[in-house]
Amino acid sequence: EAGVAQSPRYKIIEKRQSVAFWCNPISGHATLYWYQQILGQGPKLLIQFQNNGVVDDSQLPKDRFSAERLKGVDSTLKIQPAKLEDSAVYLCASSLSDGGYEQYFGPGTRLTVT
Amino acid sequence: GENVEQHPSTLSVQEGDSAVIKCTYSDSASNYFPWYKQELGKRPQLIIDIRSNVGEKKDQRIAVTLNKTAKHFSLHITETQPEDSAVYFCAAKGNTDKLIFGTGTRLQVFP
């Protein structure tokens, strides 16, 4: 089966600019996750969708980050305006459903904010 | 809040030796514990997982043990090979259905 797709793979922007990431989950996977992975750390959940509804966005910095999954399939994550500390790899993952099912990760987008 | 601690942060072993990585979790309601392997510049990939109704699970050279009373779980890799070199992350899913990851262990296997 095709895996989780993400684009772009790399992005370099200056602080205060905006950026958007795209994710297409594995077909049929109802749950989609966005994680932020700072160098040397484990992934940190930013937001979790179940179909097109938000399940958890408690760690999403809502003053600058937004995400949507309008049709319950692909998703976009936006940062506006970016800060230096946003430099990280943004990983998208999907799973069949919630409740202990394996999460499959995409290749990630490496963001560098200068 | 929910927390997962992982030790050691780095681990170096000789090829053929065993490697053990340990994690502790804070949420007693946690019921799912996956382990991910992440090679440099690549995505995390699930290598083994265990649910709270099982104490041990094995898959070839990899095994995971869970002690619910002590709230800790461990990854055991036997007969290590150079291709096992990577960063390993433990994670725990608890009451909030959110996966909390550990800080990672960089494993180096020397030939």
Side-chain angles (χ1 to χ4, degrees), chain B residues 30-81:
Chain B
S30 295
N31 55 17
Y32 175 64
F33 308 89
W35 285 88
Y36 284 86
K37 175 184 180 182
Q38 188 173 30
E39 297 177 44
L40 189 63
K42 297 193 175 178
R43 71 191 77 190
Q45 291 198 301
L46 181 77
I47 54 172
I48 196 167
D49 57 9
I50 192 168
R51 299 179 192 274
S52 58
N53 58 347
V54 175
E56 184 173 356
K57 185 177 178 181
K58 192 173 181 181
D59 183 4
Q60 298 182 346
R61 298 186 296 109
I62 294 172
V64 57
T65 58
L66 171 64
N67 183 327
K68 285 179 60 181
T69 305
K71 291 193 285 188
H72 68 69
F73 56 112
S74 301
L75 178 71
H76 304 253
I77 306 175
T78 58
E79 300 171 32
T80 54
Q81 301 166 3

Side-chain angles (χ1 to χ4, degrees), chain B residues 2-4 24-33 50-53 66 68 71 73 91-100:
Chain B
E2 300 154 326
N3 187 47
V4 175
T24 58
Y25 58 97
S26 60
D27 184 357
S28 56
S30 295
N31 55 17
Y32 175 64
F33 308 89
I50 192 168
R51 299 179 192 274
S52 58
N53 58 347
L66 171 64
K68 285 179 60 181
K71 291 193 285 188
F73 56 112
K93 178 177 276 197
N95 238 358
T96 62
D97 273 342
K98 186 165 60 181
L99 255 189
I100 306 296

